[in-house]
Every structure is written in C-alpha cells, then in structure tokens.
Amino acid sequence: MRATPLAARAHILAAVVCATLCALPALRPGAGIAWTTVGLLTALYLACELPGRCRLVGSSVPISAGSFFPLLLAAAFLLPPAAAALVAIPGSLVGRVEHAPARARRIWRAAQLSLTVWAASCVHGLLGGGATLGGPGPERLPDLPYALLPACAAALAFSLVLTALDGSILATAERLPLRHAWSGLLPRSLGPHLVHGLAGLMMAVLWRSSYGPVSALFVLLPMYISCWIFSQYHREHAAHRATIRALVQAVDIKDTYTRGHSERVGRASVLIARELGMAEDRLEVLRFAGILHDVGKLCVPTRVLRKDGPLTPEERRVIELHPEYGHEIVRGIGFLGEARAAILHHHERLDGSGYPYGLSGREIPEFARVVAVADAFDAMTSTRSYRRGRPVPAAVEELKRCAGTQFDPQMVRALARGLDRHGWSTASTVVTADETVPVARAGGGAGTGAVRKPVRPRSPDGPEPAAGRAVPGDGRDVAGGRAVATDGSGLASGAQSSVDRTR
C-alpha cells in the first residue's frame, strides 16, 4: 500500500467504507437472509477466481474479461442488496492481479465489485425483479418477457457503477484527467455487461426452479468458455498492437526526424476510408498500412536517412528500395492482410511513373492509393525544423492539382470531405506507441514540432527555396531521377512542384 499514491489510498478507503455500510444490514439479527444461497454463490465465485492463482493455467484464465460477472449478476437477482454485496468479497481478495501493488488492487477490487453488485441488486429490486424469477413448481413460472426489463436495468446499473469506479481510480491512482480516465470505458463495457446480465438471469431462473442450484452451473460453464475465447481474442489483438508498436518505434528511433508521421498517416487513411464507406473490418488493417508504410526505412542505411545535404543518384536508388524492404519485413505477418500490398505500392503513381513497379490506374491496390494521399497530406501539413506546416486548405488544393496524374481523385475527394466534416490536427495521441507525441497543428502551421530535436537542422536538399519553387520536405525521394513529394508520396509534376520532397 505504501507505493500507492495518497489520493488513491484515500479513494480506496472511501470505497471500502461505503461497501461495508452497504453490506452491514445483512449481518443484523433477523435480516432474513438466505445464507445457504449466499454461501453457495460466494463459494462459486471464489472457485472461479482461484484458477487464476495457479502457476500452470493462471495466465490463460480470462479474469480481466469479466468472465464471472454473470455469477455476480445472478447474485444481484437472487439476493437482497446487502447480501449480494457480500458475494464478491472473498473471491476478489484472493484473485489474481497482474500489477503491483497487489494488496491495494485486491482490496479495491473487492470494494468496487461489492458496491457494483449492491447497486445492481437495488435496481433489480426496485423494478420488482425478484417476483419475475418464478419458483419451484409449475404454478410459479418466470414472468417472461417482463423479467428481461429489471434484469437489463440491473445490468445497466452494474456497468455504470463499475465504469464510474474504474475511471475514478484511474484519475486518483494514475493522475489522469477525468475526461481521459472515463473516456471510452462505458461504450466498451456496456454490451458485454448486458450479455452477462442475460446469462445471470438464466442462472437465477434455473436456481429458483425445481431443478435447483446445480442446474444453474450449466449456464456458468458455456459462459466461461465463451469469455475465455473472447479473452484470447483480445490477447491476440494486443499482441498485434505490440508488434505494430515495436516496428513503429524502431522506425522512429532510426529516423527521429519524421517522428509521429506514421501514426498520423494511419489516422488520415482511416479518415479517407470512412468517407469511402469501407467495411469496418478493413479499417483496422488500413490503419496498420498507414502506420507501417515506411517500415522499410529500417533497411536503409542510417547515414543516408540522416544525411545533411543532397542525395547522390546512388543514394536515391537506395531510398527507392524502402517499399520493397518494408514488404519483405511484414510479408510473414498474416494479420496485416491487404496492408502488405499498400506498404509495397504506396509510391506508385496513377500515371505509371511511380515505383517500385510502375503500376498505373486500378493496377495500384486500393489501400496503396489511400495511403499515398494520406502520406502526402500529412507531410505537407506537418511542421519541420526549416519550415512550418502548410494550412490544410492549401494542402488539399495541391492534392487536387495532382489528382488524376499522381493520386486517385476519388481518394483526394474523400479526404477533402472528411476534413470538412471532422477537421484535422496533427496534435493527437499516438495509439500504438506508449507516449503522446505533440506536434504542430495543421491549420495555422504553428506548434511545438516533434518531441525531440530533429537530427537534421536544415533542409536536406539545401537552403529554403524561393516562393513558387519546390518546398523541401523531411527527406528525399525520387521517381525517374526527378525530385518527388512528401514523405515518399512522390508528389511532383515535372521538374518543379509546390509540394514537399521527402524520402
């Protein structure tokens, strides 16, 4: 507990006091509590938590997924609030925790779940839910479908209280702003908690039926299995994100000059895709494509990436190989799917003058055409050490000028619509890295810049050009010997362009 911040300790103590006050009425003489039901439900919940402490199978037990919430909700349906509040305490105090301090986390978990189950039981009782569960004998059948109303209301109360307490402990223990502490908690948990509520209702109905408590276990087992599968899915998804994070961080370490660029390209790619009406299951893959589009830079010599001056033709040819390098790096990562083609072809041009294979028109994969536009847009609107980012309208106009020759006009129009609808700021929270990367706002071109001081203090291609000539970007790129544009997007038309040149 000593490692816990003082505010968090006070918050935990307040939760413990509140939970104690909620449970005390059950301990008074003559409370009329069905202690057999309390004991059975408490023992079941304790038995469900104990496997998490086992060294052999503990790591695979889906405790974080709330796999035993149906049992707690069944307790809320079967018992009065004070008695229901007792059910979660023993299991929570012995359950597995993944991070220190373990004692404080267990105490908090016990108090949190006790308060949550108490609130759910109160709501269920206020709506007359106990009378809808039926009882032994054919004359006392459950009152369906009305029984669904108090059960769903109780599950909603369960979700609201649980997420409110989760956010409050994040705000006190980790000193997060309140709007960030609660952000997204309820939308992510409400659906699963409603499903758990329906499973708890089934358990409660069977428990009250003539078949007795043993029959209720048949609901718990398939629910546990389904939640285990759900937990494994989330674990796999977390592993995918960790893989992406490691690759992005490796690129950022090698080429700190463009730090945060990959994340913003991923975000702009999703913005375009949403305007195109892409299916939701493709959006995440497209975001990965935007984030990893420059992963091939890992295979480019650092001296070339960080060279302070113009590149030689040979060095430009080396830079041109980074899409193929990137494709080789990710070709064995199965979950990337279409993203691999986007990494390979995001430098192709609609008129066929791009690289590495000179594809044209619809030969270029759809994801690659999206990423090319997002890549160019972010490079133009991002602030560099030798120039400020361009205003968003100016960048969009330049993209429209090059639409049809370099970029797919459909993707450019989709980006313009998305920007009109949602706006754009390069100051955003990095979703695959472990830190927030504050950079310049695109609208006015002013901001804080990258997190670290760039390695190259000036334009790699020489001094700042006069108005009307090509503005150097954050690197260099070539297509057929000509300078091309923006972070590898290849935006250029002829010998001159008003768009940035980059790697």
Side-chain angles (χ1 to χ4, degrees):
M1 290 287 287
R2 292 180 180 178
T4 308
L6 181 60
R9 278 185 278 175
H11 190 64
I12 293 172
L13 179 60
V16 170
V17 171
C18 290
T20 303
L21 293 175
C22 290
L24 274 179
L27 304 178
R28 293 174 181 171
I33 302 300
W35 288 108
T36 301
T37 302
V38 174
L40 285 173
L41 290 170
T42 303
L44 278 173
Y45 187 73
L46 179 62
C48 289
E49 292 285 351
L50 284 176
R53 303 291 296 272
C54 178
R55 293 183 178 180
L56 296 178
V57 299
S59 61
S60 63
V61 175
I63 291 178
S64 62
S67 54
F68 310 124
F69 286 173
L71 199 152
L72 295 181
L73 284 162
F77 302 154
L78 290 167
L79 297 169
L86 296 171
V87 172
I89 295 175
S92 300
L93 291 175
V94 303
R96 187 187 79 212
V97 294
E98 298 179 347
H99 305 286
R103 182 181 301 176
R105 289 178 181 272
R106 289 192 178 102
I107 293 173
W108 165 254
R109 185 69 170 166
Q112 178 191 36
L113 289 180
S114 182
L115 289 170
T116 301
V117 176
W118 178 86
S121 182
C122 286
V123 172
H124 190 258
L126 287 174
L127 295 176
T132 67
L133 299 177
E139 70 281 356
R140 296 185 60 190
L141 295 176
D143 185 9
L144 295 173
Y146 178 76
L148 295 173
L149 176 61
C152 289
L156 176 60
F158 185 94
S159 187
L160 287 171
V161 175
L162 187 65
T163 54
L165 291 172
D166 277 338
S168 67
I169 196 64
L170 286 174
T172 55
E174 301 185 15
R175 298 182 177 88
L176 291 178
L178 289 178
R179 63 188 183 91
H180 292 310
W182 278 297
S183 177
L185 287 179
L186 184 61
R188 288 195 300 267
S189 61
L190 184 57
H193 289 162
L194 288 174
V195 174
H196 294 157
L198 295 177
L201 176 62
M202 292 172 61
M203 289 186 66
V205 168
L206 290 172
W207 193 288
R208 286 275 188 91
S209 72
S210 56
Y211 298 103
V214 176
S215 63
L217 297 179
F218 290 100
V219 177
L220 182 63
L221 182 60
M223 194 65 190
Y224 174 83
I225 295 174
S226 64
C227 286
W228 181 83
I229 294 173
F230 187 70
S231 177
Q232 293 299 106
Y233 164 77
H234 276 281
R235 184 171 299 180
E236 182 180 354
H237 188 66
H240 293 173
R241 292 174 65 88
T243 301
I244 301 300
R245 180 171 62 248
L247 290 171
V248 171
Q249 288 177 337
V251 174
D252 284 345
I253 289 171
K254 184 162 187 175
D255 187 20
T256 58
Y257 197 71
T258 57
R259 185 166 186 162
H261 166 71
S262 297
E263 296 284 352
R264 296 190 300 273
V265 171
R267 185 158 57 94
S269 298
V270 171
L271 184 67
I272 295 171
R274 290 192 186 279
E275 292 298 320
L276 294 174
M278 279 191 189
E280 287 292 327
D281 59 346
R282 299 180 71 198
L283 293 183
E284 185 75 354
V285 178
L286 179 58
R287 188 174 68 87
F288 288 158
I291 290 172
L292 294 176
H293 73 286
D294 274 343
V295 70
K297 290 180 182 179
L298 292 173
C299 299
V300 176
T302 304
R303 62 175 179 80
V304 176
L305 290 177
R306 300 187 178 185
K307 183 177 179 182
D308 187 15
L311 295 177
T312 65
E314 181 180 353
E315 289 169 336
R316 289 177 176 174
R317 285 192 292 271
V318 171
I319 288 286
E320 279 192 340
L321 292 174
H322 82 269
E324 294 176 275
Y325 290 148
H327 184 260
E328 286 299 312
I329 290 173
V330 303
R331 68 183 304 173
I333 305 178
F335 69 85
L336 288 179
E338 293 179 84
R340 290 173 291 189
I343 293 169
L344 178 62
H345 296 295
H346 71 278
H347 280 294
E348 305 284 2
R349 291 171 52 117
L350 217 62
D351 60 8
S353 63
Y355 62 89
Y357 299 131
L359 301 183
S360 62
R362 295 292 172 176
E363 294 177 344
I364 305 171
E366 183 181 25
F367 276 19
R369 286 178 272 136
V370 171
V371 171
V373 172
D375 185 18
F377 172 75
D378 180 70
M380 283 189 284
T381 55
S382 297
T383 292
R384 303 295 180 233
S385 63
Y386 49 83
R387 62 146 177 89
R388 290 183 174 183
R390 295 186 178 197
V392 168
V396 172
E397 286 303 314
E398 185 63 23
L399 290 172
K400 290 179 178 179
R401 187 182 69 82
C402 297
T405 55
Q406 181 169 350
F407 301 117
D408 188 331
Q410 183 184 16
M411 308 307 174
V412 175
R413 288 193 297 269
L415 176 64
R417 290 196 305 270
L419 293 172
D420 288 340
R421 193 189 309 268
H422 303 290
W424 179 259
S425 172
T426 57
S428 63
T429 300
V430 175
V431 293
T432 56
D434 292 329
E435 60 185 315
T436 299
V437 182
V439 285
R441 289 192 61 85
T448 58
V451 170
R452 296 184 199 167
K453 183 179 180 180
V455 174
R456 292 160 293 187
R458 63 184 179 85
S459 164
D461 291 310
E464 185 78 15
R469 297 184 58 194
V471 179
D474 53 345
R476 289 131 315 210
D477 212 339
V478 291
R482 295 173 297 164
V484 294
T486 72
D487 255 7
S489 63
L491 192 67
S493 178
Q496 292 186 345
S497 171
S498 59
V499 186
D500 306 334
R501 291 174 293 163
T502 67
R503 298 188 191 95

